[in-house]
Amino acid sequence: MDKLNEVTEYLKENGIDAAFVTTPDNVFYLSGFQSDPHERLLAVAVFKDADPFVIAPKMEVPDVKAAGWNGEVIGHEDTDDAWEIVAKAVADRNVRPGSIAVEKVHMNVERYERLAQLYPDAAFTGLDAKLNEMRNIKGEEELQKLRKAAELADYAVEVGCREIAEGKTELEILMAIEFEMKKKGVSHMSFDTMVLSGPKTASPHGNPGTRKIQKGDFVLFDLGVVWEGYCSDITRTVSFGEPSEKQRDIYETVRRAEQAAVDAVRPGVRAMDLDKTARDVITEAGYGEYFTHRLGHGLGISVHEFPSIHGANEVKLQEGMVFTVEPGIYHPDVTGVRIEDDVVVTADGVEVLTKFPKDLQIIG
Ligand code: MN
Ligand code: MN
């Protein structure tokens, strides 16, 4: 079913008159139009018994149409009160909403107050759960974009490995990676590219800088690209020169933990059990205290979405879910290691989207 129709059906089933969707990721999901409107109003309005519309900054109206939106697009200029234009479009449809579904997790107070002023008798209800449930399961068209995004991320890691050399800084390597990605037609990375070396690998969210790479360092790449609106997210940790015994032990532990979790992916497995599969390997090897985050996160239009793969999430995996598997060990005195793949739950198991080798790569 068309995504917009699915929202309309949901409104009908639940007796909700209108839905007002404003987060850029959900606007893209429902309309095909991807944009960051900053503080300007960009929304998809969906009705139980009337035609939907998009309201967008006037300069972006042609882009909304070019993105494939077939319904009405209403533009507003910077000198307009966009909410009056919304009110008129709703009134033109002979709709007087008594109930309105919004994204409660994201809608800000100012916007809520404007809607509540326009429709003082309306009850507000959350659309978050429905949209999350829809976005949780990817269709074939979405999977094709995710596959391509992952393939480009694999290539980005390959470029990073090729660039490693004594005395080069983390930022110099990062620059080479992103330069190559631009040549491949990637306009955005999914998040700030991470290239960390030596002791800096022990920080899961470290910042690349001007540290010069030396023999004996582990180098950690964590990066992803956006391809036609869909994100990839890969981590590989490689060795510059021969690793010490301790570095190798940490690497092989993470390698086994990651593989165990990937191999356990199939419909019906609980997210929490998948987390435990990896965590048990790390704990049994004596590094449990250094694995300080969840196993993974859903991946799609957002680089972090549902399902969350953590130790208290009882949700069962379903065919079509896409998420990361990314155990790590962050040992402050030795090194940090993380290995991250993007995986799809298939009818009877798993498809791994990221394919860069996971056996320890020794460079130089
Ligand atoms: Mn990552
Ligand atoms: Mn990740």
Side-chain angles (χ1 to χ4, degrees):
M1 194 180 357
D2 175 61
K3 286 157 189 150
L4 206 60
N5 287 338
E6 194 170 340
V7 173
T8 308
E9 283 306 309
Y10 173 79
L11 298 181
K12 284 191 204 297
E13 278 163 25
N14 292 279
I16 303 164
D17 297 319
F20 200 70
V21 174
T22 57
T23 63
D25 287 347
N26 284 332
V27 167
F28 172 57
Y29 187 67
L30 295 180
S31 73
F33 176 61
Q34 194 168 38
S35 168
D36 177 1
H38 302 286
E39 77 286 6
R40 294 186 175 106
L41 186 64
L42 170 67
V44 182
V46 189
F47 301 94
K48 186 171 58 136
D49 302 308
D51 291 336
F53 68 83
V54 166
I55 177 156
K58 195 162 200 170
M59 59 189 169
E60 295 190 354
V61 167
D63 302 330
V64 179
K65 290 179 178 161
W69 173 260
N70 295 319
E72 189 182 6
V73 192
I74 302 166
H76 64 89
E77 298 192 54
D78 292 334
T79 48
D80 290 331
D81 180 344
W83 296 95
E84 284 175 9
I85 294 173
V86 168
K88 184 173 180 305
V90 173
D92 285 348
R93 283 166 170 71
N94 292 315
V95 175
R96 291 176 52 84
S99 49
I100 303 174
V102 296
E103 298 143 294
K104 284 195 176 182
V105 175
H106 298 283
M107 172 156 268
N108 66 38
V109 178
E110 190 202 6
R111 290 179 167 191
Y112 165 71
E113 284 180 350
R114 288 304 305 268
L115 270 178
Q117 270 165 14
L118 289 177
Y119 307 108
D121 301 326
F124 286 85
T125 168
L127 191 63
D128 311 79
K130 177 62 187 173
L131 289 173
N132 289 341
E133 176 203 309
M134 287 170 68
R135 280 177 52 181
N136 227 337
I137 306 296
K138 272 71 177 176
E140 187 49 39
E141 206 178 310
E142 294 178 289
L143 291 177
Q144 281 172 16
K145 293 170 185 175
L146 288 159
R147 284 187 192 107
K148 178 71 180 174
E151 191 186 310
L152 285 159
D154 285 337
Y155 178 58
V157 173
E158 193 186 315
V159 171
C161 289
R162 220 156 56 202
E163 288 292 320
I164 291 175
E166 185 92 38
K168 253 195 205 176
T169 71
E170 295 163 345
L171 284 171
E172 282 167 344
I173 293 172
L174 185 160
M175 205 162 61
I177 290 171
E178 295 197 353
F179 184 76
E180 268 316 299
M181 287 297 103
K182 296 283 185 256
K183 286 204 276 186
K184 293 280 180 191
V186 170
S187 60
H188 291 91
M189 304 304 285
S190 353
F191 52 90
D192 288 344
T193 299
M194 206 185 277
V195 178
L196 301 174
S197 63
K200 291 177 69 182
T201 56
S203 165
H205 278 172
N207 286 312
T210 53
R211 184 183 181 277
K212 289 183 163 62
I213 289 171
Q214 313 160 11
K215 274 280 164 72
D217 283 348
F218 268 10
V219 180
L220 183 151
F221 301 100
D222 187 352
L223 55 85
V225 312
V226 183
W227 187 258
E228 292 181 2
Y230 285 77
C231 297
S232 53
D233 184 4
I234 188 175
T235 306
R236 289 293 186 270
T237 310
V238 301
S239 185
F240 182 42
E242 274 304 313
S244 70
E245 210 170 297
K246 196 78 183 158
Q247 281 174 318
R248 195 182 276 276
D249 185 54
I250 288 175
Y251 188 89
E252 293 307 331
T253 303
V254 176
R255 171 82 174 93
R256 280 187 291 116
E258 204 265 350
Q259 197 62 51
V262 168
D263 292 344
V265 173
R266 63 179 178 279
V269 172
R270 294 183 303 178
M272 60 191 286
D273 295 330
L274 203 60
D275 181 281
K276 188 170 186 299
T277 299
R279 204 166 298 275
D280 283 352
V281 172
I282 290 175
T283 303
E284 278 159 26
Y287 297 111
E289 66 181 296
Y290 303 116
F291 178 15
T292 46
H293 53 72
R294 62 182 170 177
L295 181 66
H297 52 84
L299 187 71
I301 297 169
S302 304
V303 71
H304 282 192
E305 55 183 58
F306 289 94
S308 181
I309 312 296
H310 66 68
N313 189 357
E314 296 178 10
V315 85
K316 286 182 178 162
L317 303 183
Q318 283 175 262
E319 185 180 356
M321 283 181 174
V322 176
F323 54 87
T324 67
V325 173
E326 51 177 308
I329 294 173
Y330 309 95
H331 196 303
D333 306 323
V334 186
T335 188
V337 171
R338 179 168 61 258
I339 301 174
E340 174 177 29
D341 279 322
D342 303 342
V343 305
V344 185
V345 184
T346 62
D348 56 2
V350 64
E351 175 188 349
V352 183
L353 300 182
T354 37
K355 298 182 194 309
F356 191 89
K358 292 185 281 192
D359 289 333
L360 181 58
Q361 307 288 301
I362 299 169
I363 292 163

